[in-house]
Amino acid sequence: GDYYNSSGSGSVGVALSWNGTIWTSQSIPSGVGKLNSVSCLSTNFCEAVGDYYNSSGSGSVGVALSWNGSTWTSQTLPSNVDWLNGVSCVSASFCEAVGGISVALSWNGTTWTSQSIPSSVTGLDALSCLSTNFCEAVGYVLSTSPSGSTGVALSWNGTSWTSQSLPSTVGELNGVSCLSTNFCEAVGASTGNTGVALSWNGMTWTSQSLPSNVDWPNGVSCVSASFCEAVGEDSSYSGVALSWNGTTWTSQSLPSTVGELNGVSCLSTNFCEAVGGSSDNSVILTTALTITSITPNSSPLAGGGTATIIGTNFAPGAAVMFGSITATTTTVVSSDEITVTIPPGSSPGLVEVTVTISGVTSAGSGFIYVTNGIPYTPVTPYRIADTRCSAIQQPLFCSQENLPSANQSLSSPPAGGSITVQVTGTGTGSNTVPTDAQSVIVTVTAIAGTTAHSGYLTVYPTGTNPPEASSLNYTPGIAIPNLVTATLGKGGAIDILSSSPDVNIVVDVEGYYEPSTSSSTNEFTPLPLPIRVLDTRCSTNPQPTFCSSENLPKTNQISAPTANGYIKVQITGDGGSSGIPVTATAVSLVVTAAGSTKGGFLTVFPAGSSTTPPETSNVNFHANISSADSVTVALGSSGAIYIYNSASAPTNVIVDINGYFSSTGDLLTPSSPVRICDTRSPTSIGGSDVASNVSGQCNNSGKPLNPSSDPITVQVTGIAGIPTTAKVVVANITVVNTTDSGYLTAWAAGATRPATSNINWGKGQVMPNMVLSALDSNGQMEIYTFSTANVIIDVVGWYS
């Protein structure tokens, strides 16, 4: 198409590409004023035609471009071509293009050549080719009669263009679609400027009745003799869409803002795309019966929860299938929303959810069934993905990372695109993620280039649609990590979507959840309130005043790790932290780096005979900025951990414990991310990106949190599939719109706020962290912020 350049050059050509998720602008040669038509045979071959304005005096000049999969290239046209309106290709060596004034061209794979057409034809607007021996072209002839123009239809037989007879009332034809030499549909306007539709049976063009409100159809696309779609406008310049069922053209409802529609392309009875204009912008429509999201898109095997399906063209009588199982309670809320009771699943894993209406079935959307209650197995951390290592000139550190072969070629995802990271089957020896693992704990690090935009990553099960949730937020030029509890999807993999390009992604495995039929026995016990077990800031003399209230274990009253050095932190046993038994096998921590004059990272790993850290990282930090990340780490045989500091200067470290894993406790039910709270919303719902039937969860009337206000109470259980039996929530919490440096603390509602933190940030930063918070008997948690910030909560699982 085109856009209007108000700086004086007038129209400027536009080409866009659709990759299944987003429309992306493509670069085209300078000087192209407008592109009117395109015909594609593959992702590596398209032809587009239009014109540019020649200011030297000749006015419009025709343009033809060729797409080779990466670049649009100008092609030379005969000198008499003023503009081109339509193009149709049947192979890379045969295309036809038509336009004005009195222009028809043929492409042989090398050259565009002019063809002779009847002299009476003024302009041709569209064409449809089925082979080198059959094309139909339609347009008009200008006349001096009061009608102004009369319609034209021409047929190509492989040698010449021949005029065909049309009904006398046809004023101009703008679109044509052929399925065979015996079936074509053409649309346009009559001499009285009312809509026209014609059908070709191989011998004759016959008029068809249209609804009375149709003034000017512009395009048509057919997939069978009993299914065509036509688009255009009415007398008030509002959009019109029509459907042909083999007998009758019927009007279809469009969004109220749609203005003129100019083109349509259909692949089946349940997939068409239409483009045009609206009252305030350009518009792209789909007629497909589609599913764009399911919230939540995972469930325990027992089912029973409520899921909200968002999509297009829903109607009463819809049937919803979860794999081979029919949902028995289905409510069509509107044309784009269905609520359904999730049926029980037959086994853990991925199923396809489909919607069927009047015999038409949507494409499937992935849904994950999980085992209700899964024990945890920690591993010695290891790296499974690093997109920096797909560069032709690999960084030197890549040789030490030993990435799994399935992930070695992963590169930075495009904006709005994702990469698939294989998780199960990775690792070495006993330090692996088994094939029956259903969830994994990974540290995901985003390393945004200096040319990147601020954005976010979303981690979700492979085979499902991306949820309206985020796993971590990033800013240009900064490495930001976050611990993520991720449900595994198809093939034991996770997808990671990036909202912006030029962002490298690093993934380190910390542990996994495997069904209780395995040898895993680790269950989680939350602490009633988080406790602080290390604060190296308190080893200075004089001590900061806050140290008097921290009551640190004596063994851990130690100094900050030196440059490229490590410290040992005792967690269990004599001198360890209060409340963590010697039988604990792993702990859930929040580790904060503070007060370093240099940037670097911390690596947390089990204390053992070797103090050499694994090739992983847990907390990335920058000079003079405090950074925190959640860490789930196995304990060494002595019940201790090591923390390594990569910076070239000492770095203070703070460690808070949320709970521990042992042979008794609670079990995880993982969930694909689902948003339950967004304080940016005036209604505390957060709009369409928060789970349906979740309202008032933030309890703050749409205001940001601040130290002078009370902590907010967030209802967690009883919504979005989270049962009332849940005792601990696993959530990714993100702070945004921060006005100063600060921290966030989460804890079970009703208790006194602990002297710990879950997220630390600098002024203006967007900062996420995975939080494990105990819930009170009502299934509630409280959240406090030390400085003004908005808070977003995405649940990824719960313990019960």
Side-chain angles (χ1 to χ4, degrees), residues 699-720:
N699 191 28
N700 73 316
S701 301
K703 298 176 183 178
L705 281 66
N706 64 77
S708 62
S709 63
D710 292 331
I712 63 168
T713 300
V714 181
Q715 181 67 43
V716 176
T717 63
I719 57 171

Side-chain angles (χ1 to χ4, degrees), residues 719-743:
I719 57 171
I722 306 167
T724 56
T725 55
K727 295 166 64 176
V728 179
V729 66
V730 186
N732 189 67
I733 299 183
T734 305
V735 293
V736 299
N737 302 327
T738 56
T739 60
D740 206 342
S741 59
Y743 64 85

Side-chain angles (χ1 to χ4, degrees), residues 437-456:
Q438 293 185 24
S439 186
V440 66
I441 291 185
V442 288
T443 296
V444 179
T445 304
I447 306 171
T450 55
T451 61
H453 297 286
S454 295
Y456 61 87

Side-chain angles (χ1 to χ4, degrees), residues 19 37 189 282 306 474 556 623 678 789:
N19 66 1
S37 183
S282 57
T306 299
Y474 52 77
N556 296 334
D678 186 342

